[in-house]
Amino acid sequence: MRIVVCVKHVPDLQSDRSLDGDGHLVRGEDDVLNELDENAVEAAVALAEGNGAEVIALTVGPEDAVDAVRRALQMGADSGVHVVDDRLAGSDVVGTARVLAAAVRALGAEAPVDLVVTGMATMDGLTSMVPAALAAALGLPSLTLASEVTLEGSTVTITRSIGDADEQQAAELPLVLSVTDQANEPRYPNFKAIMAAKKKPVTTWSLDDLPDVAAAGPDGAPAVGAAGAGTTVRSAAARPPREAGRVLTDTGDAGAQLAAYLVENKLV
C-alpha cells in the first residue's frame, strides 16, 4: 500500500507577511510546514504503521519548499517529492491541483497509489478547495474534513462534524482524504527521527517531468501556474495598520455610549 501526503510550505502565522509588486505573498523568509498539514502527515503515518504502507510526502513550491517535505520525513514519511519550477509562480487552486494530480499519476506509474491525504486547508490561502479539486483532477472519490479515520481492508470510513451533528462516510480505495485539526495530535519528532530523515530520499521534479501538465498554453507558456490559473489577481494591498480603540471612562453613561457605538457601526 502506498500513501501520498500533500504538504505545503507557508509563511509563519507569527511573522510579518507582505506582498510583492504583483500582489503575491512574499515567501521564503519565515516559512514553515503548514500547521494543518501536520495533521495530514500524522494521519498518513498512523495509517501506514497499522497497514505496512509506504508514505510519500509531496509538495509543489519554490526551492525552499523542500523544508516542508523534510519536516514530513522527520514525522515518519518514508520519502519525498518536490515539484519546483519557476513557471508555477502564480498557481491558484486549479493550477496547484493539476500539478499535484500529475505528480500523483507519475508516482502511480511506478507503483499504484492507494490513498492521497491532505490537510483541511493551508494557512496562507485558506480556500479549503484543493482536496476536492485534486480528487476531481485524479477522477477519484473524496472524503473530506475527517475528524476520525479508520481503514478496514480497502474501505476508508470517516467521521465528520456538521454543525451539531456527526456523520459517517465511507469509500473504497483509491481515494483522496482530507483531515481536520481534530483528527489527531501530530507527533513531535525526536532527535533520532530528525537524524534518520536526513538519509531519506527526496526526488525533485520540474514541469518537464510531468508531461501531461507541461503542454504549452495558447500564449506559449505552460498550461499551469499563472497561465493555467482559473483566477487572476486584479489588485492587492497590505492591510492598513489597526487604529487604537476608544477607552470609555464610566461616568454613569458608559453603557449608553457603548450601545450608541454598536448601533453607529451596525454591529447590532
Side-chain angles (χ1 to χ4, degrees):
M1 180 177 178
R2 299 176 87 211
I3 302 173
V4 172
V5 57
C6 300
V7 297
K8 189 176 183 181
H9 208 218
V10 300
D12 190 338
L13 287 177
Q14 305 304 318
S15 65
D16 293 326
R17 291 184 281 181
S18 59
L19 302 173
D20 62 20
D22 296 324
H24 298 129
L25 199 61
V26 174
R27 300 182 181 276
E29 296 180 349
D30 296 293
D31 294 3
V32 295
L33 170 62
N34 178 53
E35 183 177 343
L36 296 173
D37 288 346
E38 293 184 2
N39 299 98
V41 175
E42 178 62 33
V45 172
L47 288 171
E49 290 174 341
N51 295 275
E54 172 191 4
V55 177
I56 304 165
L58 168 64
T59 195
V60 175
E63 290 186 5
D64 62 343
V66 72
D67 290 345
V69 172
R70 299 281 184 199
R71 182 64 175 180
L73 297 180
Q74 293 173 3
M75 294 177 65
D78 300 293
S79 62
V81 173
H82 178 201
V83 181
V84 54
D85 197 305
D86 290 342
R87 293 171 290 182
L88 288 170
S91 294
D92 61 359
V93 168
V94 175
T96 300
R98 290 181 59 198
V99 176
L100 287 172
V104 171
R105 285 193 292 268
L107 288 168
E110 303 169 357
V113 172
D114 303 284
L115 179 64
V116 180
V117 185
T118 76
M120 64 184 289
T122 54
M123 302 306 290
D124 53 352
L126 286 173
T127 66
S128 300
M129 295 169 60
V130 167
L134 177 56
L138 289 170
L140 294 177
S142 64
L143 296 175
T144 59
L145 301 176
S147 57
E148 295 180 18
V149 181
T150 59
L151 173 62
E152 295 184 6
S154 62
T155 303
V156 176
T157 302
I158 70 164
T159 299
R160 66 199 307 256
S161 298
I162 308 294
D164 295 330
D166 289 340
E167 67 177 20
Q168 284 195 331
Q169 297 181 349
E172 296 294 310
L173 297 173
L175 59 85
V176 175
L177 166 71
S178 75
V179 299
T180 71
D181 56 350
Q182 303 300 311
N184 50 51
E185 185 66 33
R187 68 192 68 190
Y188 190 84
N190 56 30
F191 179 76
K192 182 179 179 180
I194 292 173
M195 296 305 294
K198 294 182 178 181
K199 299 180 180 179
K200 295 179 180 179
V202 177
T203 302
T204 301
W205 286 339
S206 71
L207 289 181
D208 296 327
D209 297 307
L210 306 173
D212 52 345
V213 294
D219 57 357
V224 290
T231 59
T232 302
V233 178
R234 300 289 297 270
S235 64
R239 178 183 298 174
R242 297 181 62 178
E243 298 180 0
R246 291 171 51 192
V247 177
L248 299 180
T249 301
D250 191 359
T251 57
D253 64 343
Q257 291 185 57
L258 178 58
Y261 174 83
L262 294 174
V263 171
E264 178 184 350
N265 291 275
K266 299 180 179 180
L267 299 175
V268 293

